[in-house]
Amino acid sequence: MINISAEQGLYSTPVEIRVAASVTQLPIVRGLAETLVLLSDFTLDEVADIRLAVDEVCSTLIAVAKPDSSLNCRFTVGETELLVRVSGIAGKEGLPDQRSFGWHVLRTLTDEVQATQDSFDSTVSGYPTTVEFRRVRGKA
Protein backbone atom coordinates (compact mmCIF):
# COMPACT_ATOMS: atom_id res chain seq x y z
CA MET A 1 0.00 0.00 0.00
CA ILE A 2 1.23 3.48 -0.81
CA ASN A 3 0.76 6.28 1.71
CA ILE A 4 0.35 9.68 0.08
CA SER A 5 0.64 12.63 2.43
CA ALA A 6 -1.06 15.95 1.75
CA GLU A 7 2.35 17.64 1.55
CA GLN A 8 3.68 15.16 -0.99
CA GLY A 9 0.61 15.11 -3.21
CA LEU A 10 -0.12 12.59 -5.94
CA TYR A 11 2.43 13.75 -8.48
CA SER A 12 5.00 11.18 -9.57
CA THR A 13 3.90 8.70 -6.89
CA PRO A 14 2.77 5.52 -8.66
CA VAL A 15 -0.44 3.96 -7.43
CA GLU A 16 -0.83 0.25 -8.16
CA ILE A 17 -3.65 -2.23 -7.89
CA ARG A 18 -3.84 -5.90 -8.72
CA VAL A 19 -7.22 -7.41 -9.58
CA ALA A 20 -8.47 -10.66 -11.04
CA ALA A 21 -8.54 -10.61 -14.84
CA SER A 22 -12.32 -10.52 -14.83
CA VAL A 23 -14.94 -8.07 -16.08
CA THR A 24 -16.37 -8.04 -12.56
CA GLN A 25 -13.26 -6.12 -11.46
CA LEU A 26 -13.56 -3.34 -14.06
CA PRO A 27 -15.58 -0.98 -11.80
CA ILE A 28 -12.80 -1.09 -9.19
CA VAL A 29 -10.08 -0.14 -11.67
CA ARG A 30 -12.24 2.52 -13.34
CA GLY A 31 -13.11 4.00 -9.95
CA LEU A 32 -9.47 4.20 -8.90
CA ALA A 33 -8.48 5.86 -12.18
CA GLU A 34 -11.35 8.34 -11.91
CA THR A 35 -10.48 9.26 -8.33
CA LEU A 36 -6.80 9.80 -9.13
CA VAL A 37 -7.43 12.09 -12.08
CA LEU A 38 -10.16 14.04 -10.30
CA LEU A 39 -7.75 14.70 -7.42
CA SER A 40 -5.10 15.75 -9.94
CA ASP A 41 -7.03 18.60 -11.56
CA PHE A 42 -7.90 16.94 -14.84
CA THR A 43 -11.03 18.38 -16.43
CA LEU A 44 -14.28 16.44 -16.31
CA ASP A 45 -13.95 15.68 -20.04
CA GLU A 46 -10.42 14.36 -19.47
CA VAL A 47 -11.65 12.26 -16.56
CA ALA A 48 -14.33 10.68 -18.76
CA ASP A 49 -11.78 9.99 -21.53
CA ILE A 50 -9.29 8.43 -19.12
CA ARG A 51 -11.96 6.30 -17.49
CA LEU A 52 -13.03 4.99 -20.91
CA ALA A 53 -9.40 4.37 -21.95
CA VAL A 54 -8.69 2.42 -18.74
CA ASP A 55 -11.85 0.39 -19.31
CA GLU A 56 -10.81 -0.41 -22.89
CA VAL A 57 -7.26 -1.41 -21.93
CA CYS A 58 -8.44 -3.67 -19.12
CA SER A 59 -11.21 -5.21 -21.25
CA THR A 60 -8.71 -5.91 -24.01
CA LEU A 61 -6.31 -7.68 -21.65
CA ILE A 62 -9.12 -9.57 -19.90
CA ALA A 63 -10.24 -10.91 -23.29
CA VAL A 64 -6.85 -12.56 -23.87
CA ALA A 65 -6.00 -13.39 -20.26
CA LYS A 66 -5.07 -16.84 -19.10
CA PRO A 67 -7.79 -18.27 -16.82
CA ASP A 68 -7.40 -17.43 -13.12
CA SER A 69 -4.79 -14.76 -13.80
CA SER A 70 -4.70 -11.14 -12.69
CA LEU A 71 -4.15 -7.64 -14.05
CA ASN A 72 -1.59 -5.31 -12.55
CA CYS A 73 -2.54 -1.66 -13.04
CA ARG A 74 -0.12 1.18 -12.36
CA PHE A 75 -1.11 4.85 -12.51
CA THR A 76 1.49 7.61 -12.38
CA VAL A 77 0.24 11.19 -12.28
CA GLY A 78 2.86 13.71 -13.33
CA GLU A 79 2.79 17.48 -13.35
CA THR A 80 1.33 17.50 -16.87
CA GLU A 81 0.27 13.95 -17.68
CA LEU A 82 -1.03 10.59 -16.57
CA LEU A 83 0.81 7.38 -17.39
CA VAL A 84 -1.15 4.12 -17.17
CA ARG A 85 0.42 0.67 -17.40
CA VAL A 86 -1.74 -2.46 -17.32
CA SER A 87 -0.14 -5.88 -17.54
CA GLY A 88 -1.40 -9.43 -17.43
CA ILE A 89 -0.71 -12.94 -18.66
CA ALA A 90 -2.15 -13.84 -22.05
CA GLY A 91 -3.09 -17.45 -22.68
CA LYS A 92 -2.05 -17.28 -26.34
CA GLU A 93 0.68 -15.54 -28.26
CA GLY A 94 -0.25 -12.33 -30.04
CA LEU A 95 -0.75 -8.68 -29.30
CA PRO A 96 -4.20 -7.11 -29.10
CA ASP A 97 -5.60 -6.29 -32.56
CA GLN A 98 -4.45 -2.74 -33.21
CA ARG A 99 -6.89 -2.46 -36.13
CA SER A 100 -9.93 -3.06 -33.91
CA PHE A 101 -12.51 -0.46 -32.97
CA GLY A 102 -11.37 -0.62 -29.34
CA TRP A 103 -7.79 0.19 -30.32
CA HIS A 104 -9.03 3.08 -32.46
CA VAL A 105 -10.88 4.39 -29.38
CA LEU A 106 -7.65 4.14 -27.35
CA ARG A 107 -5.68 6.07 -29.96
CA THR A 108 -8.38 8.74 -29.99
CA LEU A 109 -8.60 9.13 -26.20
CA THR A 110 -4.88 9.08 -25.43
CA ASP A 111 -1.76 10.88 -26.56
CA GLU A 112 0.22 7.68 -26.92
CA VAL A 113 -0.61 3.98 -26.60
CA GLN A 114 1.48 0.87 -27.09
CA ALA A 115 1.24 -2.85 -26.46
CA THR A 116 4.09 -5.26 -25.83
CA GLN A 117 4.26 -8.99 -25.27
CA ASP A 118 7.14 -11.06 -23.95
CA SER A 119 7.87 -14.59 -25.08
CA PHE A 120 6.26 -17.55 -23.31
CA ASP A 121 7.14 -17.60 -19.61
CA SER A 122 6.96 -21.12 -18.19
CA THR A 123 6.82 -19.83 -14.60
CA VAL A 124 3.42 -18.20 -15.30
CA SER A 125 2.39 -20.54 -18.16
CA GLY A 126 1.60 -17.69 -20.50
CA TYR A 127 2.71 -14.61 -22.36
CA PRO A 128 3.32 -11.49 -20.22
CA THR A 129 1.44 -8.72 -22.04
CA THR A 130 1.37 -5.00 -21.29
CA VAL A 131 -0.59 -2.05 -22.61
CA GLU A 132 0.57 1.44 -21.68
CA PHE A 133 -0.90 4.83 -22.46
CA ARG A 134 -0.17 8.45 -21.76
CA ARG A 135 -2.69 11.29 -21.47
CA VAL A 136 -1.54 14.92 -21.28
CA ARG A 137 -3.52 17.24 -19.02
CA GLY A 138 -5.11 20.35 -20.52
CA LYS A 139 -4.45 19.44 -24.13
CA ALA A 140 -7.23 20.64 -26.42
Side-chain angles (χ1 to χ4, degrees), residues 28-125:
I28 296 168
V29 179
R30 280 193 309 255
L32 176 59
E34 181 177 31
T35 300
L36 286 172
V37 294
L38 279 171
L39 293 173
S40 302
D41 297 326
F42 281 82
T43 67
L44 291 178
D45 286 341
E46 291 168 330
V47 171
D49 289 351
I50 290 166
R51 184 179 161 117
L52 184 57
V54 166
D55 187 81
E56 187 59 41
V57 167
C58 290
S59 296
T60 298
L61 289 177
I62 288 168
V64 300
K66 179 185 127 182
D68 300 319
S69 63
S70 59
L71 294 182
N72 297 309
C73 308
R74 179 182 177 120
F75 303 90
T76 307
V77 180
E79 296 272 335
T80 61
E81 66 186 8
L82 170 72
L83 302 173
V84 177
R85 182 177 194 264
V86 182
S87 57
I89 305 299
K92 296 180 181 177
E93 185 175 17
L95 289 172
D97 183 1
Q98 297 182 15
R99 296 168 296 161
S100 70
F101 177 73
W103 201 263
H104 174 72
V105 168
L106 280 172
R107 282 195 310 268
T108 302
L109 297 174
T110 64
D111 293 291
E112 181 181 343
V113 61
Q114 67 178 7
T116 57
Q117 186 174 70
D118 294 340
S119 56
F120 184 81
D121 184 338
S122 59
T123 60
V124 294
S125 300

